[in-house]
Amino acid sequence: MASLYPRFLFSAAFFYLLISSTISFSLHAQNFSRSELPATFVKPWEITYGPDDHLWLTESEGIVARVDPESGEKTIVYQADDYFDGSPLEDSPLCPHLSIGKGTLGLALHPDFTNSATAYIYYVYSYNSGTDALPATKFRIKRLLWDATSETVIANTNLINNISTAYDHLGGRLIAVEQEGTPFLFLSIGDHGRSEMNDPGCYGSASDNPNNFAQDVDTPNGKIHRFNIDGSIPDDNPIPGNSFYTRGHRNPQGLMYNPATETLYDVEHGDRTDDEINVLYKGMNYGWKDITGYHDDENTAGEGDYYSSYLPQPDIEGDALIDPLYSWCTEAPSSSEDNSNWCTVAPSDGIYYGSTGIPEWTNSLLVVTLKDGEGTKRELYQFQLQEDGSLAPSTTENPNPKRFFSADQWPNGRLRDVAYSSDGLKIYLINNGAAEGGTDKITVYTYDPDTGIDNLNDNTTDQTLSLYPNPTTEELSILGLSDNSSVQSISISSLDGKHTPVRLSSYNGSIDVSSLRNGVYFIRIAAQGNVYVLKFV
């Protein structure tokens, strides 16, 4: 049994306040057909398309579920009887609004899952490593043995225990891959620290914030960890007996793997700027929190000096600071406390697309995002790669990355993960939270090979609709529609997901909202062959 260093107890609550009056939507012909599977979930976190042609997911309360991708039939195959949802006794003593990190996180299938002897499911969930009187929430990786004949779990093992938790930035993504013929498990752990600008007094002093230790090889936080498939620590890890594989990460929520080149990538959240995709090289340092994004002084003072004076750690072979493969949002950080104004996109997870089902996407990274903000949308980014795993050049005629599905960002919700079918023609998205109707679900986009993908990306002309007056307590007018008769449907939703359709028979360009309580609302308009979502107060 392997254990991570049991240091720091913290957790994650990440909520984007959505308040804006005018929103710009890229218009595009959506040549994918969109559908939703009937299965619903509670806080799903992982979706994986298995070699058994079924979808595997994790959701709240320590649950592993299996879903038929055609019928949408959902089966709960396992629920951990020792799942622990944290305790108020573990709340931050200095910031009581911060509760301990808990939940059901990443899931991975053994690389040889179709072999009955190795049909293992690995997943991450929280448990109580202490007592009822003195609770101590930690995470563990449990291994389940799947019997394909009876379609049941026939054995379970607590594989890796005492994985640290936090008040924020948990990481928690899990991936099982084969490198040079040997299977490994990789686990991401966030830096565990709140940004000082958000809660400056939560740690007593800035030096007590655990995010200071993201580069420290003697702490588990801010790292990608590598284990043998049996949970032990590989002999050839950067430091013998230490599970860390790479360090200097802020909140790595995604892991992606290209089996052809055996390249491992991570996706992580930046701090007001510089969400990143990184190529993960064994033993290397990715710089947080001394460096944000690229190694320059463009948005954070002192990064260039830190890079030029960096002293490699002598016991790590070839130790060096590594630039991101790609960084979103590289301008100077916003001074606003409203994170909907920040340019960060909040990427959650991604997958390497190696299929030829969608030829334009072959050899790409597909990354989904969580954030609907002033200039950001919940959408899928497609990053075209070159043969060596680097990014293909971006041009005006052929931008890289391209963006998809943002017109459906309100019905789709906060996109937590992505998978694709064995033929590559279907893209599966899961959300947790902020979907129309408040539903956590699987959304399916089916590619039409006859029409192709030319008009699918969001790099086309924008049309801006606006609401007036905003705020309002009586009538709300929709400005920018050329023809009111083109409106097919209108609905209003509140932040808690309550959904109210608007009668089209009474619509003449304005809507009576006098019956609504004070608050933030979304109005969804289907018109002119497109879907628009705007916010009002």
Side-chain angles (χ1 to χ4, degrees), residues 397-414:
E397 296 76 20
N398 188 26
N400 190 26
K402 294 184 173 72
R403 297 154 54 196
F404 298 87
F405 313 143
S406 63
D408 296 328
Q409 67 165 339
W410 181 235
N412 287 350
R414 302 173 72 245

Side-chain angles (χ1 to χ4, degrees), residues 264-344:
L264 185 68
Y265 305 84
D266 94 313
V267 179
E268 61 184 272
H269 292 196
D271 183 11
R272 298 204 179 202
T273 68
D274 293 282
D275 297 320
E276 297 178 1
I277 299 176
N278 292 294
V279 180
L280 300 180
Y281 300 103
K282 184 172 73 171
M284 296 300 100
N285 187 346
Y286 292 80
W288 176 254
K289 68 178 187 174
D290 296 289
I291 293 179
T292 302
Y294 299 118
H295 301 163
D296 53 38
D297 288 306
E298 293 298 319
N299 51 13
T300 305
E303 290 180 344
D305 290 341
Y306 182 82
Y307 178 74
S308 61
S309 61
Y310 180 71
L311 296 176
Q313 187 152 328
D315 55 348
I316 299 176
E317 182 179 358
D319 180 36
L321 290 166
I322 305 298
D323 252 335
L325 175 72
Y326 181 82
S327 183
W328 287 269
C329 177
T330 58
E331 57 258 39
S334 169
S335 60
S336 171
E337 291 302 314
D338 177 3
N339 52 28
S340 68
N341 295 323
W342 305 351
C343 61
T344 47

Side-chain angles (χ1 to χ4, degrees), residues 91 94 136 298 390-391 400 413 416:
D91 289 352
L94 297 177
E298 293 298 319
S390 61
L391 285 181
N400 190 26
R416 177 57 69 182

Side-chain angles (χ1 to χ4, degrees), residues 459-475:
N459 297 284
T460 55
T461 304
D462 285 359
Q463 174 173 334
T464 300
L465 301 187
S466 60
L467 302 176
Y468 180 83
N470 192 0
T472 183
T473 58
E474 297 180 359
E475 281 201 340

Side-chain angles (χ1 to χ4, degrees), residues 90-171:
E90 299 175 275
D91 289 352
S92 167
L94 297 177
C95 293
H97 65 283
L98 298 181
S99 57
I100 197 67
K102 72 280 186 181
T104 316
L105 304 178
L107 174 146
L109 303 180
H110 191 285
D112 194 14
F113 186 72
T114 56
N115 183 334
S116 61
T118 55
Y120 289 123
I121 306 155
Y122 306 85
Y123 81 113
V124 181
Y125 68 90
S126 53
Y127 74 105
N128 187 3
S129 69
T131 65
D132 290 343
L134 293 172
T137 301
K138 297 289 177 64
F139 283 95
R140 69 158 40 110
I141 298 175
K142 186 181 280 288
R143 185 183 71 189
L144 310 175
L145 180 59
W146 178 249
D147 180 70
T149 302
S150 63
E151 295 189 342
T152 58
V153 170
I154 58 175
N156 73 85
T157 302
N158 294 332
L159 198 68
I160 300 170
N161 301 309
N162 292 318
I163 299 170
S164 60
T165 188
Y167 294 131
D168 213 343
H169 302 168
L170 302 182

Side-chain angles (χ1 to χ4, degrees), residues 182-241:
T182 301
F184 295 100
L185 280 173
F186 288 87
L187 171 70
S188 70
I189 300 181
D191 69 4
H192 287 355
R194 298 278 293 177
S195 298
E196 287 92 342
M197 62 187 71
N198 293 337
D199 284 300
C202 287
Y203 300 105
S205 68
S207 61
D208 295 328
N209 192 322
N211 64 20
N212 291 296
F213 301 94
Q215 297 180 46
D216 186 340
V217 297
D218 292 323
T219 66
N221 55 311
K223 315 291 189 304
I224 308 297
H225 295 264
R226 183 175 74 154
F227 300 92
N228 290 317
I229 205 70
D230 64 0
S232 61
I233 296 175
D235 293 338
D236 64 341
N237 267 13
I239 295 177

Side-chain angles (χ1 to χ4, degrees), residues 447-519:
Y447 173 72
D448 183 351
D450 293 329
T451 57
I453 206 167
D454 288 346
N455 296 321
L456 270 170
N457 74 76
D458 280 358
N459 297 284
T460 55
T461 304
D462 285 359
Q463 174 173 334
T464 300
L465 301 187
S466 60
L467 302 176
Y468 180 83
N470 192 0
T472 183
T473 58
E474 297 180 359
E475 281 201 340
L476 191 67
S477 295
I478 301 170
L479 306 180
L481 284 176
S482 58
D483 181 7
N484 289 333
S485 65
S486 68
V487 175
Q488 299 164 300
S489 67
I490 301 176
S491 62
I492 294 174
S493 300
S494 58
L495 280 176
D496 61 7
K498 293 182 179 178
H499 181 73
T500 305
V502 174
R503 291 172 56 191
L504 289 183
S505 59
S506 61
Y507 175 69
N508 61 0
S510 62
I511 301 167
D512 181 2
V513 295
S514 59
S515 63
L516 299 178
R517 294 183 177 182
N518 291 339

